[in-house]
Amino acid sequence: MSFGDPNNPYGQQQPPQGQPNYGYPQQAPQGVPPQGQPGYGYPQQPGQPPYGAMPPAPGTLQANNGYINVAGLGTVEVATMGRRFGARVIDGLVIGVLYAILSSIGLASAFGASKSIQDCGTDYASPTYQTCVNDQAAAAGGIIATFFGFILIFFIATLLYEWLMIAFVGATVGKLALGVKVVKENTGQVPGIGGGFIRWIIPMVGALLCGIGQILTYLSPFFDNSGKLQGWHDRAAGTIVVKK
């Protein structure tokens, strides 16, 4: 019996076109991916980009939902103004305590010097009185100079506190307490010396205008229509404030 004889009804026959070929591998219908292969054109798992899609560019706001794509960090949440305000309050308390200590030392010294002039007596015409007054005046002048020296030290301390902590840590004590960090928008790294100084000096220059410019600078994130809540000082320094 010849299985290859086409005239033999019991021989192996080719299945008619359009009918399943039992015992042979089946071809998947067109448009249906074989088992175990990705289904191109079919819904993807939630949270995954479509096949072939490019990741969002750095600085791209994610659907205006408060999240932004930052190079080196991925998708992070933009810090809310409430958190930023709270951090500023804590920093203000830290600086205020330092200012109060230095001021009290200077004022106490000046007040003590002014009262000690009474010890010179009431004989205003005597040489002893004049010598005593001159000595006390010299002492008071030195104390006043010391007081202004404390003010200078306070200014330098606030400069170093805000500038260097933002430059190297990306956060002050208040920002660390509330989980807020300042980073470069294009790299995701801390601002560095230059970025930290620019971010600090702009509000300080605004403070020269009776403090109005400083207040406006700190409120300027409300004016940012990009959704990134970047203040004027952030834009100048190329930084953005995010939640850690």
Side-chain angles (χ1 to χ4, degrees), residues 33-113:
Q35 187 176 2
Q37 296 184 9
Y40 298 98
Y42 287 82
Q44 307 299 317
Q45 293 296 324
Q48 296 182 356
Y51 292 102
M54 297 296 293
T60 302
L61 204 65
Q62 303 296 308
N64 291 325
N65 60 0
Y67 288 84
I68 187 172
N69 186 62
V70 179
L73 299 179
T75 301
V76 293
E77 184 178 356
V78 176
T80 63
M81 289 301 295
R83 282 181 177 270
R84 295 171 67 168
F85 176 76
R88 184 62 60 184
V89 169
I90 295 175
D91 290 333
L93 292 176
V94 172
I95 296 174
V97 169
L98 176 62
Y99 178 78
I101 293 174
L102 295 177
S103 298
S104 61
I105 292 174
L107 290 174
S109 300
F111 181 73

Side-chain angles (χ1 to χ4, degrees), residues 52-208:
M54 297 296 293
T60 302
L61 204 65
Q62 303 296 308
N64 291 325
N65 60 0
Y67 288 84
I68 187 172
N69 186 62
V70 179
L73 299 179
T75 301
V76 293
E77 184 178 356
V78 176
T80 63
M81 289 301 295
R83 282 181 177 270
R84 295 171 67 168
F85 176 76
R88 184 62 60 184
V89 169
I90 295 175
D91 290 333
L93 292 176
V94 172
I95 296 174
V97 169
L98 176 62
Y99 178 78
I101 293 174
L102 295 177
S103 298
S104 61
I105 292 174
L107 290 174
S109 300
F111 181 73
S114 64
K115 290 196 66 174
S116 63
I117 296 178
Q118 299 176 0
D119 298 334
C120 296
T122 58
D123 189 1
Y124 304 124
S126 66
T128 304
Y129 177 82
Q130 293 299 326
T131 301
C132 179
V133 169
N134 292 336
D135 291 342
Q136 295 301 329
I143 292 173
I144 292 174
T146 303
F147 172 75
F148 283 105
F150 279 128
I151 297 299
L152 178 61
I153 293 174
F154 169 74
F155 175 79
I156 294 175
T158 55
L159 163 64
L160 298 179
Y161 171 77
E162 181 82 20
W163 174 25
L164 295 184
M165 288 199 70
I166 292 295
F168 294 111
V169 182
T172 56
V173 172
K175 289 179 173 59
L176 288 172
L178 292 184
V180 175
K181 188 174 183 180
V182 180
V183 298
K184 295 288 286 185
E185 184 179 6
N186 59 346
T187 64
Q189 302 298 316
V190 293
I193 290 290
F197 181 77
I198 292 174
R199 196 176 187 276
W200 173 82
I201 195 62
I202 290 179
M204 292 303 101
V205 172
L208 299 177

